[in-house]
Amino acid sequence: MNAPRAELPGKIAGLLDRLKAVDRENVRLKQQATAARAAGLAGGMIDANGVQVVTATVTAEDGAGEARALATAVRATTFPSALPAPSASARERAWSSSR
C-alpha cells in the first residue's frame, strides 16, 4: 500500500469492509445460481414406480456444501411445504463450508 503509516489502519479497514461486501455478494449470487439450477433439475423430475426422482452431477470442486444446498433447493422447489426454508445464516454456513 502506498500510504503513510498513520493512514494504514483506515485503508486496511476499508479493504476489509470491501472484502466482506464482495463476499456477501458472492454468497447471494451463488444462492441465485443454485436456485436456478434447482428449478431446472426439478423441471426434469421423472417418476420411477411412483417415486419422484431428480438426478444431478456434482463435481468434486463443487464440494459437499454445494451438493447439500442444491439438494435442499430442489426439495424446496419441488415440495415447498415439505420443509422450512433455511435461514440466511444457515445458507451462508453451507456456502462457507464448501469453500
Side-chain angles (χ1 to χ4, degrees):
M1 286 186 175
N2 291 334
R5 184 177 215 108
E7 293 176 15
L8 287 177
K11 289 204 175 260
I12 291 170
L15 287 172
L16 288 173
D17 289 341
R18 279 184 43 207
L19 178 62
K20 288 177 186 176
V22 168
D23 192 44
R24 283 190 298 270
E25 178 69 5
N26 188 37
V27 167
R28 186 184 69 76
L29 291 172
K30 282 184 177 183
Q31 290 168 348
Q32 285 180 346
T34 298
R37 186 172 177 200
L41 289 170
M45 183 174 17
I46 60 170
D47 184 276
N49 296 324
V51 176
Q52 295 173 325
V53 177
V54 176
T55 62
T57 301
V58 181
T59 65
E61 292 83 27
D62 291 335
E66 185 163 336
R68 199 170 17 262
L70 182 59
T72 301
V74 168
R75 184 173 175 194
T77 300
T78 309
F79 308 104
S81 62
L83 74 158
S87 66
S89 61
R91 287 190 301 266
E92 288 175 10
R93 282 193 304 275
W95 288 114
S96 295
S97 68
S98 67
R99 289 190 229 161

